[in-house]
């Protein structure tokens, strides 16, 4: 059985990935690089399959960004092993760097320098030696939450008061207050009310920018809920949080990234 600390590198530039692996090999010879992948979806799949102790995730990758891969990994991590320590790698996102500094988290700025990576290695060793049973999940979620404002649009468009949605051959006019939740479906967003459902052709990100953030909360990568429609939040035996909404039988899942919205006052 291999009891070495293990790591996965996700970097779409092969030369940079090889350089990072070689530098880690010199600074941390006991570390075993179990996989090196070139896009975000592969990072998610290989991390779930191999369950490494450390992830080095490039923030800008094809398929999924490093942030998206980390968020999905937090949602799908089985819990049989502590969540990996995550080091984000960025070339030019100064805002992200500032956010990570404020969150006391870790990142590596490209091009990777030996001195900076040595500090990362020392920090990782300390965290791996002292991490609680919950691993680095809480720290990662704090990192991701710190970055949410950085991805918001600089200029907020006019807020929506009415949704014009397709229902068969009709265009249905839905007052925004009647919406219980929005659900992303491929190229469409499903608008759910007490009376039924309807589709609009937009992205959830574009829609979110037009909503009153005090009323409509993103609770998952693919879901925005009307906070006034939330009847209860319930955690199951696996720790997964779901919402019961007024007037609807289905449960709405909450990502760990947004679970803090439903902490008890």
């Amino acid at each position: 059985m291999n009891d070495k600390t293990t790591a996965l590198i996700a970097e779409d530039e092969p030369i940079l990935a090889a350089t990072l692996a070689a530098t880690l090999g010199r600074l941390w010879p006991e570390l075993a690089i179990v996989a090196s992948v070139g896009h975000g979806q592969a990072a998610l799949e290989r991390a779930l399959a191999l369950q490494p102790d450390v992830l080095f995730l490039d923030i800008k990758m094809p398929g999924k960004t490093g942030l998206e891969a980390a968020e999905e990994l937090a949602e799908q991590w089985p819990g049989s092993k502590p969540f990996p320590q995550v080091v984000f790698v960025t070339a030019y996102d100064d805002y992200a760097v500032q956010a990570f500094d404020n969150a006391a988290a870790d990142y590596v700025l490209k091009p990777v320098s030996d001195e900076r990576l040595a500090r990362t290695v020392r920090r990782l060793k300390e965290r791996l030696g002292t991490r609680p049973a919950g691993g680095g999940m809480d720290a990662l979620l704090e990192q991701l939450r710190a970055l949410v404002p950085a991805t918001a649009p600089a200029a907020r468009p006019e807020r929506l008061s009415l949704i014009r949605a397709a229902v068969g051959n009709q265009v249905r006019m839905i007052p925004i207050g009647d919406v219980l939740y929005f659900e992303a479906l491929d190229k469409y967003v499903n608008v759910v009310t007490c009376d039924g459902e309807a589709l609009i052709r937009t992205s959830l990100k574009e829609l979110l920018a037009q909503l009153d953030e005090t009323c409509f909360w993103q609770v998952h990568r693919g879901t925005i809920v009307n906070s006034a429609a939330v009847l209860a939040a319930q955690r199951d035996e696996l720790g997964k949080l779901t919402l019961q909404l007024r007037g609807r039988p289905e449960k709405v899942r909450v990502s760990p990234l947004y679970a803090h919205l439903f902490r008890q006052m």
Side-chain angles (χ1 to χ4, degrees):
M1 181 177 176
N2 186 1
D3 56 359
K4 278 189 169 183
T5 301
T6 57
L8 180 150
I9 295 174
E11 166 63 64
D12 65 331
E13 294 290 342
I15 294 177
L16 294 180
T19 301
L20 178 58
T23 307
L24 284 170
R26 284 189 285 102
L27 297 174
W28 195 354
E30 302 83 11
L31 182 70
I33 307 296
V34 294
S36 183
V37 298
H39 57 85
Q41 182 62 35
L44 173 63
E45 294 172 358
R46 297 297 285 163
L48 287 171
L50 300 172
Q51 299 187 12
D53 300 299
V54 183
L55 298 175
F56 291 90
L57 297 179
D58 184 11
I59 287 183
K60 303 286 187 182
M61 285 189 292
K64 296 181 189 298
T65 68
L67 301 175
E68 291 168 339
E71 182 181 349
E72 291 192 44
L73 190 63
E75 293 172 0
Q76 300 180 39
W77 191 253
S80 57
K81 185 175 180 180
F83 196 79
Q85 299 293 315
V86 178
V87 177
F88 289 103
V89 184
T90 179
Y92 47 82
D93 195 335
D94 293 339
Y95 198 105
V97 170
Q98 182 181 3
F100 280 118
D101 270 344
N102 292 337
D106 211 352
Y107 67 91
V108 175
L109 188 64
K110 297 178 186 178
V112 179
S113 71
D114 284 18
E115 181 181 2
R116 180 63 184 88
L117 195 58
R119 278 195 283 142
T120 299
V121 168
R122 288 196 296 272
R123 184 176 301 178
L124 287 170
K125 287 182 176 179
E126 290 174 2
R127 292 190 175 199
L128 288 167
T130 60
R131 63 180 174 181
M137 177 80 81
D138 291 342
L140 172 67
L141 294 177
E142 286 299 325
Q143 293 173 28
L144 294 173
R145 287 175 195 137
L147 281 178
V148 169
T151 60
R156 177 174 288 278
E158 186 176 348
R159 285 177 177 169
L160 282 175
S161 60
L162 194 67
I163 301 288
R164 298 173 177 85
V167 181
N169 295 326
Q170 296 181 333
V171 176
R172 184 179 165 194
M173 313 299 278
I174 304 173
I176 194 69
D178 290 352
V179 177
L180 300 181
Y181 67 96
F182 297 98
E183 179 184 30
L185 297 175
D186 196 12
K187 296 179 181 177
Y188 295 88
V189 168
N190 190 27
V191 183
V192 182
T193 69
C194 288
D195 301 326
E197 303 177 17
L199 295 176
I200 55 177
R201 192 180 180 91
T202 186
S203 70
L204 209 66
K205 182 178 180 181
E206 291 173 339
L207 182 63
L208 185 63
Q210 300 175 69
L211 299 173
D212 183 348
E213 67 274 14
T214 63
C215 299
F216 287 89
W217 300 350
Q218 185 165 16
V219 298
H220 190 273
R221 284 178 294 105
T223 315
I224 300 169
V225 299
N226 184 343
S227 60
V230 177
L231 186 62
Q234 184 172 4
R235 195 176 297 278
D236 65 16
E237 63 276 9
L238 298 177
K240 304 294 185 182
L241 195 64
T242 58
L243 302 180
Q244 178 67 60
L245 302 183
R246 303 178 195 279
R248 297 290 298 192
E250 69 271 23
K251 299 288 184 65
V252 174
R253 185 176 170 189
V254 179
S255 164
L257 183 60
Y258 304 102
H260 66 288
L261 295 172
F262 302 96
R263 286 177 185 153
Q264 186 178 10
M265 293 182 66

